Amino acid sequence: MLQLNHLKVAYGAREIIADLSVAPIATGTVTALLGPNGSGKSTLLKAVAGLIKLAGGHVVMNGDDLTRASFETRARQVVYLPQTLPAAVHLQVFESVLVAANASAFAGAVAGAGKGDIAAVDALLQRLGIAHLALRYLDQLSGGQKQLVGLAQALIRRPRLLLLDEPLSALDLNYQFHVMDLLRQETRENGLVTLIVLHDLNIALKHADHCLMIRSGELIAEGVPGEVITPDTLAAVYGVRARVEPCSLGVSQVMIDGLHADVH
């Protein structure tokens, strides 16, 4: 399980996250990290990934205190996919995912590829619906296609903790649904903890097992989506008047009626 205990993050003198703790998050769980722009979602994700030094607190994964672990130990367990991907290199999609599959957690070196690695890469590209891009070069892809390849590079490493910062932002409706469905399946089958920043609350209601909602670096609500995404929390966190009602299939949907009188 993942435990976040009394996390504190600051950029210089500016405190972003003061003292954030959450209930233990079980393996096999997709957790949506929700909140308005500037609430600290990306900062929290980077802090959990070890890319930002904590001013206090602990990140514990399966009993290992990652805040005290070496880079190599953390790299074996944690994969972080940023919102903005690095500039694409002139490498084919299949090659780039194969490099990720063979990346050494200790040195970042590429080992010799075996038949099992090649088959695993091929199967993953098929599941993501991007097998037709296998021989295309990364620097020739659209933004959405690059996001899908980045997700393939993350999943092929089989982490214990998967951290995704808005991985759906450049995807069309078909791929948004497809990716969330695949993430839920991969998370359950491989016993991962997946923490994903989302802006679409309806996607969180339909696809997430668990939600964390934050505002100004403070945890406002946590739990199953239906308990976290409510008219009261939407008013307090997003400053909107909203209803959360079931559609004709019984799936809860958020409907925004207007701005809350106490917008802050």
Side-chain angles (χ1 to χ4, degrees), residues 14-241:
R14 185 164 65 97
E15 189 173 65
I16 306 299
I17 298 172
D19 186 0
L20 189 146
S21 297
V22 304
I25 300 173
T27 56
T29 300
V30 174
T31 295
L33 181 56
L34 310 173
N37 294 332
S39 60
K41 301 184 301 297
S42 294
T43 296
L44 176 59
L45 216 62
K46 290 176 184 177
V48 173
L51 300 176
I52 298 174
K53 187 175 181 180
L54 291 172
H58 298 275
V59 177
V60 180
M61 183 67 196
N62 294 335
D64 295 330
D65 188 346
L66 297 182
T67 52
R68 299 176 182 272
S70 66
F71 172 82
E72 292 80 8
T73 298
R74 189 185 289 261
R76 285 197 298 269
Q77 297 198 50
V78 183
V79 169
Y80 166 75
L81 185 65
Q83 179 181 353
T84 303
L85 299 176
V89 296
H90 193 64
L91 195 67
Q92 289 179 328
V93 168
F94 194 95
E95 293 173 325
S96 73
V97 181
L98 190 60
V99 166
N102 287 286
S104 166
F106 293 97
V110 178
K115 291 182 178 179
D117 299 315
I118 293 172
V121 170
D122 182 62
L124 180 57
L125 294 181
Q126 293 282 355
R127 291 201 302 279
L128 279 168
I130 55 172
H132 63 288
L133 300 177
L135 300 182
R136 292 271 299 276
Y137 285 92
L138 294 176
D139 53 4
Q140 298 173 347
L141 301 181
S142 70
Q145 290 169 335
K146 289 175 184 176
Q147 278 191 316
L148 290 167
V149 175
L151 184 58
Q153 292 169 350
L155 287 172
I156 200 67
R157 291 174 58 185
R158 298 199 177 280
R160 301 264 57 81
L161 175 57
L162 181 61
L163 306 171
L164 307 172
D165 195 351
E166 294 191 52
L168 309 181
S169 60
L171 301 183
D172 61 34
L173 292 175
N174 183 294
Y175 272 113
Q176 286 179 13
F177 188 96
H178 183 70
V179 165
M180 289 304 300
D181 198 47
L182 177 66
L183 280 175
R184 202 169 190 181
Q185 180 181 340
E186 290 282 323
T187 299
R188 288 177 174 176
E189 290 182 357
N190 295 298
L192 311 182
V193 172
T194 296
L195 187 56
I196 176 172
V197 173
L198 292 175
H199 275 296
D200 192 320
L201 300 177
N202 289 323
I203 288 178
L205 281 166
K206 183 173 181 61
H207 293 280
D209 303 302
H210 180 252
C211 290
L212 305 175
M213 186 177 285
I214 66 174
R215 180 191 62 195
S216 302
E218 177 186 358
L219 182 67
I220 302 300
E222 62 178 313
V224 297
E227 294 176 354
V228 171
I229 303 171
T230 68
D232 287 343
T233 60
L234 295 178
V237 174
Y238 292 91
V240 296
R241 289 185 292 108

